[in-house]
Amino acid sequence: MNIEYAPEPTPTDRATFEANLAELRTREKAHTRAGDAIAAARRQLPVVEVDASTPLLGPHGTVPLIDTFEGRHQLIAYYLMWFPGRPASEQCEGCTWNNSQVGELSYVHSRDITYAVFCQGPFDESLRYRDFMGWTMPWYSAQRSLDTLLVGRQVGMMHVVCYLRRGDRVFETYWTANRGVEAVDINYRLMDLTLYGRHEPWEDSPPGWPQSHDDGFRTDGRPTAQWSRIVAGRSENLAQ
């Protein structure tokens, strides 16, 4: 990858470096504590009941929302954007970025939480996309129930919604959209630790720092994670 890394960063001695890092670390710790406080406030939010029988389409046909918990008491649903009839290369690059990072779910399961994708498009077509990507998380189509499940929100946008099951009742406890769905992401968190960051134009970086990735989720016209699947010979035909 041809990226211009100019100008060079200013070198210094170890003591000066550590002193500057210590000053930054104070801010980082404050940021961590602020995040803990926000998470605590999130846990104290009131909840709103949703219809536990709201239908979704899964691999075994129509199922009620409550069944998508898979017997657990909490559910994180990623509402994946979908463009019906479009090829794999034209599907949502942001949703592809996020869900390509969801593999090992045993840790969230150990906390009595299920993670599932609620695709906003048709089941069969989108399931072929999941298979092309090699994802294994539970997959449902919420297409017929979006006005109920995303009431008051913009259908067609990526959302993460959290639910609680108590007996035969279901409650919505939290939701987020846009940059809030970076909760699913680890790549950006790692990039943010590096000198040059995300390489994106909006970042507040010194003059000359690389900021060439204005479409950070795509490479050569398709979602970046798809290229390894193409090389592996997987079919990207979604219209079978």
Side-chain angles (χ1 to χ4, degrees), residues 2-97:
N2 186 21
I3 299 175
E4 294 292 332
Y5 288 102
E8 293 291 325
T10 303
T12 189
D13 59 88
R14 169 61 64 174
T16 301
F17 169 75
E18 293 294 346
N20 280 267
L21 181 57
E23 182 179 345
L24 177 64
R25 192 79 75 213
T26 299
R27 296 174 60 190
E28 288 180 333
K29 290 180 178 179
H31 176 75
T32 298
R33 288 191 292 271
D36 291 342
I38 290 171
R42 189 180 294 120
R43 292 192 294 271
Q44 297 177 53
L45 287 171
V47 300
V48 61
E49 188 165 6
V50 296
D51 185 352
S53 66
T54 303
L56 296 101
L57 186 60
H60 304 297
T62 301
V63 296
L65 172 63
I66 196 169
D67 282 7
T68 67
F69 284 72
E70 298 185 341
R72 301 183 182 91
H73 285 88
Q74 296 187 89
L75 168 70
I76 299 171
Y78 187 105
Y79 283 80
L80 185 132
M81 296 171 59
W82 191 256
F83 302 98
R86 307 298 288 271
S89 61
E90 296 179 20
Q91 294 303 326
C92 177
E93 60 270 27
C95 294
T96 302
W97 169 288

Side-chain angles (χ1 to χ4, degrees), residues 24 37 61 71 85 89 108 114 122 127 142 153 160 163 186 198 212 228 239:
L24 177 64
S89 61
V108 293
T114 291
L127 186 66
R153 285 156 283 186
V160 171
Y163 300 96
I186 187 59
R198 304 184 184 192
S212 57
S228 61

Side-chain angles (χ1 to χ4, degrees), residues 37-202:
I38 290 171
R42 189 180 294 120
R43 292 192 294 271
Q44 297 177 53
L45 287 171
V47 300
V48 61
E49 188 165 6
V50 296
D51 185 352
S53 66
T54 303
L56 296 101
L57 186 60
H60 304 297
T62 301
V63 296
L65 172 63
I66 196 169
D67 282 7
T68 67
F69 284 72
E70 298 185 341
R72 301 183 182 91
H73 285 88
Q74 296 187 89
L75 168 70
I76 299 171
Y78 187 105
Y79 283 80
L80 185 132
M81 296 171 59
W82 191 256
F83 302 98
R86 307 298 288 271
S89 61
E90 296 179 20
Q91 294 303 326
C92 177
E93 60 270 27
C95 294
T96 302
W97 169 288
N98 287 324
N99 284 283
S100 291
Q101 300 172 70
V102 179
E104 181 57 68
L105 290 171
S106 62
Y107 297 105
V108 293
H109 292 170
S110 74
R111 301 315 198 264
D112 199 25
I113 303 166
T114 291
Y115 179 95
V117 167
F118 287 6
C119 184
Q120 299 183 57
F123 179 76
D124 289 342
E125 186 179 59
S126 66
L127 186 66
R128 284 190 282 271
Y129 188 69
R130 187 196 73 158
D131 293 343
F132 163 63
M133 293 303 302
W135 298 336
T136 58
M137 73 283 284
W139 195 273
Y140 302 90
S141 170
Q143 187 177 33
R144 62 183 285 193
S145 299
L146 290 173
D147 289 340
T148 299
L149 293 169
L150 295 179
V151 61
R153 285 156 283 186
Q154 183 178 343
V155 172
M157 178 184 294
M158 64 182 81
H159 298 270
V160 171
V161 183
C162 297
Y163 300 96
L164 172 69
R165 178 179 65 84
R166 295 298 299 270
D168 60 358
R169 303 171 72 187
V170 171
F171 302 88
E172 184 177 329
T173 66
Y174 177 75
W175 71 272
T176 187
N178 296 322
R179 284 195 65 187
V181 302
E182 286 185 14
V184 183
D185 170 74
I186 187 59
N187 286 311
Y188 270 152
R189 295 186 185 188
L190 292 174
M191 293 176 194
D192 286 343
L193 298 177
T194 69
L195 180 67
Y196 293 115
R198 304 184 184 192
H199 295 194
E200 295 184 358
W202 64 271

